[in-house]
Amino acid sequence: MHTPTTTLAADVAALLPKRLHTEWTVSAAHREGHPDHPATRLADGQRRFLLLLNDSGHTTLTAPAPAADTSLTVEGSAPTAIAGAALRSLLPRIDRDIIRLSPPRQRQHRLQRLAEIDDLLRELGTSAERFERADDTTGLSWQCGDAFVSFTLRGTSATGSVSFRGGLGALERFLAPFLPPHPGPGRVRTSPLRGCGGVARRVVAAFPHAVEADEDGLVRFADADGGPLQGWVMPRDINSPTGPTTPVTAGVCGAGIDLMLSALPTLA
């Protein structure tokens, strides 16, 4: 039987990447002690979480054991906002707990995740170069237009780091998949400081709800839902003229594999 919760869950599942060609399934979930607030379970193999519509109109996502401490609430019930929160915050924490439970397979997990990204890049027509470093880091690097992007995984971490080097115009496209959607008029979180430079002003103008800039021209952001994702943007010269080709560097750490797979069509 279709309910508002199962319909919403199906819409969210359609926005999540298929890992290793595994479809997300949607099913009703019994919540003991809460018969009037049914939840829906989303699962793709080992990974699963519950979606619940609250009386307030917001949506709660909760992961069961072993990630039982993982829960977040998303304002409203827009599928794109809910899927984005799951990609940035929830799924990386579920992956973290799965990896911790299987120490002998941790290196295998890392190589498998890189292979998923490499395969999708190839499907998108982009060739990536694989590299390894002495500090137990493995990664991929590729060119996106005039910009250079790399993704690295280190040790047994469930998340990786993304680096960007290119022009300011390409940077805005690069950042968009890692930041939440704008919440709407009148709900802007920050405004640029005077003297922070043209690059910082432009990035804050593009993402005023999600980033902050300091007087040195450094732009920072962090996941508002408590997930591991955070990042930064830095111009080569704070006082240089600002335009689409102004050189900048940026980094994002704590990026989960699902988020990367979802972002790759923009980054390839």
Side-chain angles (χ1 to χ4, degrees):
M1 182 178 71
H2 289 288
T3 67
T5 307
T6 57
T7 299
L8 175 60
D11 291 340
V12 171
L15 297 173
L16 301 177
K18 299 184 183 83
R19 296 282 301 277
L20 302 175
H21 307 292
T22 301
E23 297 274 355
W24 283 91
T25 62
V26 175
S27 59
H30 173 70
R31 298 177 69 240
E32 190 172 346
H34 301 276
D36 298 327
H37 295 81
T40 300
R41 180 183 296 105
L42 290 87
D44 75 335
Q46 275 186 284
R47 305 187 307 167
R48 60 193 187 279
F49 64 92
L50 300 180
L51 182 151
L52 170 67
L53 281 172
N54 303 325
D55 290 336
S56 61
H58 299 328
T59 307
T60 297
L61 306 178
T62 303
D69 61 332
T70 302
S71 179
L72 60 92
T73 298
V74 183
E75 290 189 16
S77 57
T80 52
I82 297 167
L87 291 169
R88 290 188 306 273
S89 305
L90 189 72
L91 293 176
R93 288 184 269 184
I94 295 175
D95 283 344
R96 172 200 64 194
D97 289 290
I98 290 174
I99 291 173
R100 285 177 178 174
L101 289 176
S102 55
R105 299 184 59 197
Q106 287 172 346
R107 177 171 173 77
Q108 180 183 341
H109 278 298
R110 182 174 64 188
L111 296 178
Q112 174 187 299
R113 296 196 301 275
L114 281 177
E116 290 181 68
I117 292 175
D118 194 18
D119 288 346
L120 182 53
L121 282 170
R122 292 178 187 278
E123 289 180 21
L124 295 169
T126 299
S127 297
E129 181 178 344
R130 181 171 162 175
F131 58 86
E132 294 197 22
R133 298 173 183 157
D135 61 351
D136 202 22
T137 295
T138 309
L140 297 167
S141 62
W142 64 93
Q143 189 167 355
C144 175
D146 295 329
F148 294 89
V149 180
S150 68
F151 177 74
T152 58
L153 287 168
R154 182 178 181 184
T156 60
S157 175
T159 60
S161 299
V162 194
S163 66
F164 170 94
R165 178 168 53 88
L168 181 56
L171 172 79
E172 294 176 6
R173 295 192 299 275
F174 166 81
L175 288 178
F178 300 104
L179 298 173
H182 197 292
R187 305 183 67 182
V188 173
R189 192 178 83 179
T190 188
S191 57
L193 296 172
R194 287 187 177 182
C196 66
V199 167
R201 285 196 299 272
R202 179 159 166 169
V203 175
V204 172
F207 307 103
H209 60 294
V211 305
E212 296 177 339
D214 64 22
E215 59 187 9
D216 296 319
L218 178 65
V219 178
R220 295 187 181 93
F221 57 90
D223 181 51
D225 295 311
L229 189 141
Q230 56 184 307
W232 57 269
V233 177
M234 190 69 186
R236 182 181 299 175
D237 180 357
I238 188 174
N239 296 313
S240 65
T242 302
T245 60
T246 300
V248 295
T249 56
V252 178
C253 61
I257 303 303
D258 296 270
L259 178 58
M260 282 300 300
L261 292 172
S262 178
L264 280 184
T266 302
L267 309 182

